[in-house]
Amino acid sequence: METRVLNGREIQTVLAEELAATISLFPRAPALAIVQVGERPESDAYIRQKVRFGQRVGFEVNHIRLGEQASDADVMKVMAELNGDDRVDGIILQLPLPAHMNTGVIIESIHPLKDVDGLTSASVKRLFSGDTSGFVPATAKGILTLLDRSGIEVAGTHAVIVGRSNLVGKPVALALLSLNATVTLCHSGTADLAKHTRSADILIVAAGKRGLIGREHVSRGQTVIDVGITADPLAEGKRKLLGDVDFDAVKEIVGAITPVPGGVGPLTVASLFENVAAAFERLHEK
Ligand code: NAD
């Protein structure tokens, strides 16, 4: 059987239309504030994608940039203003922050009803207890949407996740668990990674190590979701992105696979704005 390439851009287009229809019924455009400290080329590129998508669909997106030397108190003052501003529905803190900052404390200063990245302890607790109706972090939510819209069943399958970060690996594991997958979480300390990855029905790779997953790591018919994004060191001048999976090596073996770019990335962006629309609805519920 021919391998299916799961096209995240096509699904994003459908989600954009659905979102535009939903928010056209709102009394005003839902608004997202993106708070960034300092400048990093990667973060700048992600923010551009979010601003472009959000504005195209009809959201208001405000990018607030503080200087590299800003203190925790400076950022928390901005958060307090955004928390209290009725015209702001969702707030995200672009990570990573400069090394001198206390990321955990600043995240906690985001109002739970505006925490559209799902990173505050209130959101984490909800996901931890198996409730995916709150703010599921955008990458995890994007993966669930990708599987759902591609007609790939999750319940009863064995899902293997490579990567255990708070931002990606752990939320993906919890979200799949809540959908009744049997979940294995692999990481940099896992012995015999290939033994685990080969046993997956759904393999999700979020390690940030290009080429980590090759032929020996996959088996016939699997669904492979490649979350990893790293810049290709051999692409001179132009920014070329690579995933964690050696796409060409495994493509003939697996049943379905996401490309990089054009797989999970577009759904992460769309999922963030689904969370913003949900935040608007919850904040303005009568
Ligand atoms: P991270 O560096 O915080 O975590 C990486 C994880 O991979 C760690 O838990 C580590 O244990 C594991 N790991 C590293 N080397 C490994 C190895 N050799 N074998 C097994 N496990 C290993 O990164 P992150 O924030 O979780 O992001 C992971 C990747 O996903 C990055 O490339 C990032 O750019 C990308 N990302 C993509 C999207 C998207 O929308 N496509 C969104 C967020 C992050």
Side-chain angles (χ1 to χ4, degrees):
M1 232 168 62
E2 196 165 322
T3 306
R4 281 174 74 192
V5 177
L6 306 174
N7 187 328
R9 290 200 182 108
E10 277 176 18
I11 302 173
Q12 190 201 53
T13 303
V14 176
L15 296 180
E17 284 167 10
E18 291 174 4
L19 266 173
T22 302
I23 67 172
S24 71
L25 304 174
F26 292 177
R28 65 159 169 78
L32 171 68
I34 303 174
V35 179
Q36 183 184 21
V37 184
E39 282 175 48
R40 288 168 58 97
E42 306 277 286
S43 294
D44 294 346
Y46 293 139
I47 290 173
R48 270 197 303 278
Q49 285 173 17
K50 292 170 193 171
V51 172
R52 207 178 298 141
F53 178 88
Q55 291 180 342
R56 177 160 60 82
V57 172
F59 288 81
E60 187 183 322
V61 188
N62 298 312
H63 179 192
I64 299 154
R65 198 202 290 260
L66 286 86
E68 179 79 25
Q69 298 310 324
S71 66
D72 290 359
D74 294 334
V75 184
M76 283 159 77
K77 184 165 172 274
V78 170
M79 291 302 184
E81 284 165 12
L82 295 170
N83 284 339
D85 188 338
D86 289 345
R87 294 157 305 173
V88 174
D89 307 296
I91 304 168
I92 61 171
L93 178 65
Q94 188 66 37
L95 299 175
L97 292 176
H100 68 274
M101 308 199 85
N102 189 334
T103 303
V105 170
I106 298 174
I107 284 174
E108 258 349 282
S109 72
I110 298 172
H111 192 294
L113 286 174
K114 298 189 178 186
D115 172 30
V116 288
D117 255 347
L119 297 178
T120 62
S121 51
S123 298
V124 173
K125 189 173 163 205
R126 200 161 170 172
L127 185 58
F128 190 85
S129 53
D131 177 358
T132 52
S133 67
F135 297 126
V136 175
T139 309
K141 188 177 170 77
I143 291 170
L144 297 191
T145 302
L146 178 79
L147 293 167
D148 180 47
R149 301 277 172 136
S150 306
I152 295 168
E153 186 65 50
V154 172
T157 63
H158 181 206
V160 175
I161 298 145
V162 182
R164 60 175 159 186
S165 71
N166 291 340
L167 217 55
V168 186
K170 283 183 199 150
V172 170
L174 289 169
L176 291 170
L177 196 58
S178 73
L179 295 183
N180 284 332
T182 302
V183 174
T184 299
L185 199 46
C186 301
H187 45 79
S188 49
T190 298
D192 198 354
L193 181 66
K195 181 182 84 179
H196 296 287
T197 56
R198 274 199 305 266
S199 72
D201 300 305
I202 300 173
L203 173 61
I204 297 172
V205 193
K209 298 270 182 296
R210 71 193 127 83
L212 175 68
I213 301 299
R215 292 180 75 82
E216 69 279 21
H217 294 92
V218 298
S219 58
R220 218 151 268 294
Q222 280 180 332
T223 294
V224 178
I225 310 284
D226 190 356
V227 186
I229 304 177
T230 36
D232 183 350
L234 300 176
E236 286 159 13
K238 217 167 160 256
R239 199 173 118 91
K240 187 178 170 217
L241 301 178
L242 296 171
D244 289 349
V245 178
D246 184 344
F247 185 91
D248 293 330
V250 312
K251 187 173 170 238
E252 302 308 323
I253 306 170
V254 302
I257 185 167
T258 57
V260 175
V264 176
L267 297 180
T268 299
V269 178
S271 299
L272 168 65
F273 284 94
E274 287 184 334
N275 280 346
V276 179
F280 181 96
E281 285 179 316
R282 268 178 227 142
L283 284 164
H284 299 277
E285 253 168 15
K286 296 255 155 48

